[in-house]
Amino acid sequence: MHNSFLDENFLKLCKEYKQSDIALFKKAAQFASNHLTDKKRLMGDSYFDRNIRVAKILLENTAEPQIILVSLLIGIKEHSKIKEEFGIKITNLLD
């Protein structure tokens, strides 16, 4: 997994969230890293890196946990795997 997810700044941004939410954020970041790290955007960065940047912005604005999860998982094509790992509600938000 990229260090950018577990960096001190990201974890500080999580302080407003329950531990169960933070655990889901970490799980989603690992899942996204596995699926998106090698997928590059036109700018040269990975989709995973972009999703982490968006998640940090959402954390700074204390967005709902489900929205942060979606921001981490956006761009993953295998919705059946997302459904297995994160449930139908998150999958539906991604559609």
Side-chain angles (χ1 to χ4, degrees):
M1 182 184 333
H2 284 116
N3 289 333
S4 62
F5 177 71
L6 294 176
D7 70 12
E8 188 176 319
N9 291 331
F10 193 98
L11 294 175
K12 282 182 185 177
L13 294 172
C14 292
K15 69 182 180 212
E16 300 296 322
Y17 294 88
K18 295 185 269 181
Q19 288 300 314
S20 58
D21 292 332
I22 295 169
L24 280 174
F25 300 159
K26 290 178 181 180
K27 180 179 177 181
Q30 181 64 58
F31 190 87
S33 177
N34 293 342
H35 288 86
L36 298 174
T37 298
D38 293 332
K39 187 176 177 184
K40 300 294 180 190
R41 295 169 12 112
L42 289 176
M43 295 180 62
D45 61 333
S46 72
Y47 278 86
F48 176 75
D49 291 334
R50 179 242 178 232
N51 289 4
I52 292 295
R53 288 192 303 273
V54 171
K56 284 182 177 182
I57 291 167
L58 292 169
L59 285 166
E60 288 170 351
N61 291 284
T62 57
E64 292 292 319
Q66 296 86 359
I67 301 303
I68 295 166
L69 286 175
V70 168
S71 76
L72 291 165
L73 298 170
I74 199 95
I76 299 172
K77 303 289 185 206
E78 298 87 5
H79 282 201
S80 61
K81 291 181 183 178
I82 293 172
K83 184 179 175 183
E84 288 175 28
E85 294 292 324
F86 300 97
I88 189 70
K89 187 173 184 177
I90 298 301
T91 306
N92 287 341
L93 289 171
L94 283 165
D95 286 336

